[in-house]
Amino acid sequence: MADTLDIKISKTTTSKLPETDFSNLPFGKIFSDHMFVADYDNGEWKNFEIVPYGNLSFSPAMASLHYGQTFFEGLKAFKQKDGKIVVFRPYKNAQRFNLSAARMCMPALSEEIFVKSIAALVDLDRNWVPDAANHSLYIRPFMFATDPYLGVQPSKSYKYMILTCPVGAYFAKPLKVKIENKYSRASEGGFGFAKAGGNYGGSLFPAQEALKEGFDQVIWTDGKDHAFIEELGAANVMFVIDGTLVTPSTRDTILNGVTRDSVLTLARNWGVPVEERRVSVAEVIEGLKAGKLTEAFGVGTAATVTSIATIGYEGELYHLPEATADQFSSKALKILTDMRYGLAPDEFDWNYVI
Ligand code: PLP
Ligand code: COI
């Protein structure tokens, strides 16, 4: 595993583990003891290091601060009942990492370095992987431009880093969401498919507006006519319509989610009819009115599988039937969870053992 990547490890002398309350883990606020750091310079990745989690110092002219040349990934490690630690499908994130890098004019990182750097960090901080149900270690690899230069051009130097956070559930309850028909997250020819920081920065204002109206999240629609469904906040979105699992097909405005792919794989394996295609707002509203749309849910690493209870559109609220244990999304969440925690066979070889 990690031994084939030459990593200099400097361990902390003051672990925060004893003072960390694992019964209260708000998402993304508590960081484990160490972080991974590497530099890109003169056309190559170097200086692979694991160091104590802490602040770094940079030039205020650093390119990523001014022009957003930065992107990230998100994945999770789980502790299984026999103490084994697994990371869920890290090679999928490695592939997407490089798709984001290419679109942002940033250097590729080999899948081996990506996965092995994660493995080394998680291995060192393995005691930070929570063992409570629905808890995990969230892993945040990211890359950013570091040239101290204010001209608008791709940076020549970069940093690749990984942070990890013990986390519980991201969403506490089924969501009340709004189909967004004014703002958009991404446009044709843009970079919505990349996990670039700017996609999230631009989503904050519409999300705040929706919050003021009493919604938890927005369902993004296409940037041209707001006629087609795209994503749900920072997750992909799926519907069950007339017993068919329907989800927007991926395109340059949509992030190709690992959870999305996993849920579609499970559905196809179970013989559930699946349609990946453009999904119009009109058909969702008609389906809700006619009672044919029986489930709506978000799928993502942080979100796992999160039910939507209420959908708002043009001033109307549409309520979905109360979730039951035997509906598709509940079954998909249960099997995914069981596979990750080693309580069900890892049929598709999704768990990468640390
Ligand atoms: N869409 C967006 C915009 C996201 O930020 C995420 C979260 O990573 C997803 C979809 C779901 O992707 P994944 O399942 O790979 O986490
Ligand atoms: C993820 O699910 O990994 C995300 O990126 C969601 C969010 C925390 C940005």
Side-chain angles (χ1 to χ4, degrees):
M1 274 195 282
D3 29 298
T4 52
L5 184 66
D6 194 9
I7 302 172
K8 183 177 161 215
I9 297 180
S10 312
K11 287 192 196 171
T12 183
T13 50
T14 49
S15 173
K16 291 185 269 70
L17 206 46
E19 72 209 42
T20 302
D21 178 5
F22 273 67
S23 65
N24 177 25
L25 295 173
F27 184 91
K29 288 193 175 161
I30 294 155
F31 298 93
S32 60
D33 281 332
H34 299 93
M35 61 187 188
F36 182 94
V37 191
D39 296 311
Y40 184 86
D41 224 343
N42 287 324
E44 60 169 353
W45 285 107
K46 54 186 148 198
N47 307 336
F48 302 110
E49 271 197 81
I50 291 178
V51 296
Y53 174 85
N55 295 349
L56 298 173
S57 166
F58 294 100
S59 158
M62 175 164 82
S64 49
L65 292 179
H66 299 266
Y67 308 122
Q69 226 195 341
T70 176
F71 68 91
F72 64 94
E73 267 304 325
L75 61 169
K76 280 177 173 171
F78 299 87
K79 187 176 281 175
Q80 301 197 332
K81 60 181 188 310
D82 59 359
K84 208 192 292 166
I85 297 202
V86 303
V87 176
F88 191 70
R89 306 188 76 182
Y91 282 96
K92 291 291 277 184
N93 296 84
Q95 287 161 10
R96 193 170 65 193
F97 198 75
N98 284 328
L99 283 180
S100 298
R103 181 61 177 82
M104 302 309 289
C105 283
M106 295 166 73
L109 183 79
S110 78
E111 292 180 14
E112 281 315 290
I113 295 180
F114 182 89
V115 174
K116 286 180 175 156
S117 54
I118 289 172
L121 184 63
V122 173
D123 192 22
L124 183 65
D125 279 340
R126 59 195 306 130
N127 292 336
W128 283 88
V129 186
D131 45 17
N134 298 318
H135 284 58
S136 58
L137 189 74
Y138 184 76
I139 304 167
R140 169 55 60 87
F142 57 111
M143 193 197 294
F144 54 99
T146 52
D147 274 6
Y149 175 58
L150 294 184
V152 181
Q153 66 169 42
S155 180
K156 291 187 182 62
S157 61
Y158 296 89
K159 260 204 162 31
Y160 162 59
M161 296 186 58
I162 312 169
L163 308 177
T164 66
C165 297
V167 297
Y170 190 70
F171 293 119
K173 56 172 180 45
L175 302 174
K176 179 178 175 188
V177 305
K178 172 194 176 185
I179 298 182
E180 182 58 66
N181 58 1
K182 178 173 177 194
Y183 302 106
S184 47
R185 172 187 171 275
S187 58
E188 303 271 329
F191 55 97
F193 67 88
K195 232 168 144 50
N199 284 325
Y200 298 81
S203 75
L204 299 176
F205 184 78
Q208 288 298 305
E209 293 289 291
L211 211 62
K212 281 189 216 154
E213 294 171 42
F215 295 101
D216 303 310
Q217 284 285 324
V218 300
I219 291 186
W220 299 110
T221 51
D222 71 279
K224 198 156 152 262
D225 305 314
H226 300 292
F228 294 96
I229 302 285
E230 299 211 316
E231 301 204 56
L232 168 70
N236 293 112
V237 65
M238 296 188 169
F239 304 95
V240 175
I241 306 176
D242 271 337
T244 296
L245 180 64
V246 178
T247 193
S249 38
T250 52
R251 51 204 347 264
D252 58 8
T253 52
I254 294 180
L255 193 85
N256 188 352
V258 178
T259 319
R260 175 186 183 281
D261 180 78
S262 307
V263 170
L264 293 178
T265 302
L266 289 173
R268 291 192 168 107
N269 190 49
W270 290 339
V272 172
V274 172
E275 290 177 11
E276 290 180 73
R277 57 171 172 79
R278 297 211 85 181
V279 181
S280 70
V281 174
E283 95 175 269
V284 166
I285 299 302
E286 274 160 31
L288 285 164
K289 281 184 180 161
K292 294 202 264 182
L293 194 157
T294 49
E295 293 179 56
F297 52 100
V299 294
T301 297
T304 64
V305 176
T306 297
S307 295
I308 295 172
T310 305
I311 297 182
Y313 184 61
E314 293 185 334
E316 293 289 326
L317 289 180
Y318 302 89
H319 300 286
L320 280 115
E322 197 136 322
T324 60
D326 65 346
Q327 70 184 23
F328 174 80
S329 52
S330 308
K331 287 197 287 193
L333 175 60
K334 174 155 187 0
I335 192 73
L336 264 183
T337 306
D338 285 354
M339 285 164 119
R340 289 162 166 166
Y341 290 103
L343 302 170
D346 181 17
E347 274 189 81
F348 306 102
D349 216 7
W350 283 340
N351 290 329
Y352 179 93
V353 180
I354 300 297

